[in-house]
Amino acid sequence: EAGVTQFPSHSVIEKGQTVTLRCDPISGHDNLYWYRRVMGKEIKFLLHFVKESKQDESGMPNNRFLAERTGGTYSTLKVQPAELEDSGVYFCASRITRGSPLHFGNGTRLTVT
Amino acid sequence: AQSVTQLDSQVPVFEEAPVELRCNYSSSVSVYLFWYVQYPNQGLQLLLKYLSGSTLVESINGFEAEFNKSQTSFHLRKPSVHISDTAEYFCAVTNAGGTSYGKLTFGQGTILTVHP
């Protein structure tokens, strides 16, 4: 089966611009997560979708971040406008059932200059 | 609130030597524990997990970790490492109950470098 796919793998944008990251979970995985690792820090939870609904968005840093999962398939994470501190690696993960492990994508490395 | 501390940011070892990567956690509720590994230019892969039962869990590539509730630790060990074990290793925890199973709290990561 195909794994979790993230696009793009790298993105370099200027401060104030908008960037949209995409995640395609494993087919049939209702649970989708976004995580972020800022340089030198630990990986932190951003939010959790169950199908198209946001189950938990307690980790979203501020209202410049908007996550969507229309139709309960792929998800997008938009940063608008981007700030320097948004630089880092954004990971997406999915799982099928409660006891099953998270499957992570390779991440999107975002650099804001 | 939960927290995870990986006590070593970098661990250099020689091939075929034993290694231990240390992980301590703090939580007011029961937890599940995980070790993830990230090889260069790849995503995180689950190495092993503790959900319940035997406190010693093993991976298919020779790693093992032991859940010690009294010491709130989940150290990762391998008796003999290989060059291919070079990677960054992450310890993580999540609440054992409720709906937040996949909401992981990660440690800072430990970079294991195996030298020939």
Side-chain angles (χ1 to χ4, degrees):
Chain A
E1 71 181 359
V4 176
T5 305
Q6 292 188 244
F7 183 82
S9 57
H10 294 84
S11 180
V12 181
I13 61 171
E14 293 183 352
K15 175 182 173 181
Q17 290 185 321
T18 297
V19 63
T20 300
L21 313 181
R22 172 168 170 149
C23 169
D24 286 72
I26 295 172
S27 178
H29 284 201
D30 288 342
N31 292 273
L32 186 149
Y33 301 80
W34 284 98
Y35 285 83
R36 176 175 77 166
R37 189 183 194 191
V38 172
M39 190 65 66
K41 303 280 189 176
E42 64 272 22
I43 301 168
K44 286 197 171 181
F45 167 84
L46 296 180
L47 86 159
H48 170 207
F49 282 100
V50 177
K51 296 184 180 178
E52 67 275 10
S53 300
K54 292 176 185 175
Q55 178 78 18
D56 182 346
E57 52 184 330
S58 61
M60 294 289 265
N62 52 61
N63 59 10
R64 295 185 294 102
F65 288 76
L66 175 64
E68 294 180 322
R69 194 183 181 196
T70 306
T73 55
Y74 70 91
S75 173
T76 58
L77 180 64
K78 180 189 288 187
V79 185
Q80 180 183 29
E83 298 289 344
L84 298 178
E85 64 264 24
D86 300 332
S87 295
V89 181
Y90 291 77
F91 292 102
C92 176
S94 70
R95 66 176 173 87
I96 190 166
T97 61
R98 171 174 167 75
S100 60
L102 291 187
H103 296 264
F104 281 83
N106 288 355
T108 293
R109 181 174 296 278
L110 174 64
T111 303
V112 183
T113 62
Chain B
Q2 296 171 333
S3 66
V4 177
T5 301
Q6 292 182 240
L7 297 158
D8 306 293
S9 59
Q10 297 192 52
V11 174
V13 294
F14 287 107
E15 194 172 18
E16 297 183 5
V19 71
E20 178 180 77
L21 307 184
R22 295 178 292 169
C23 172
N24 287 89
Y25 70 92
S26 172
S27 177
S28 58
V29 300
S30 295
V31 295
Y32 295 146
L33 296 140
F34 307 85
W35 276 98
Y36 280 85
V37 58
Q38 184 179 24
Y39 298 104
N41 301 315
Q42 296 186 27
L44 286 85
Q45 301 173 30
L46 179 66
L47 188 60
L48 45 77
K49 62 183 178 182
Y50 171 77
L51 303 184
S52 64
S54 173
T55 57
L56 183 66
V57 291
E58 299 178 353
S59 72
I60 58 173
N61 58 351
F63 282 94
E64 64 178 30
E66 185 160 21
F67 171 50
N68 188 319
K69 188 174 182 179
S70 63
Q71 296 187 4
T72 61
S73 67
F74 192 55
H75 301 330
L76 181 70
R77 302 183 182 94
K78 189 171 185 179
S80 176
V81 295
H82 191 268
I83 296 286
S84 59
D85 293 323
T86 294
E88 188 162 18
Y89 292 78
F90 297 91
C91 182
V93 302
T94 190
N95 285 356
T99 59
S100 58
Y101 174 80
K103 184 179 180 180
L104 300 174
T105 299
F106 283 91
Q108 300 89 331
T110 298
I111 298 173
L112 174 65
T113 304
V114 182
H115 298 284

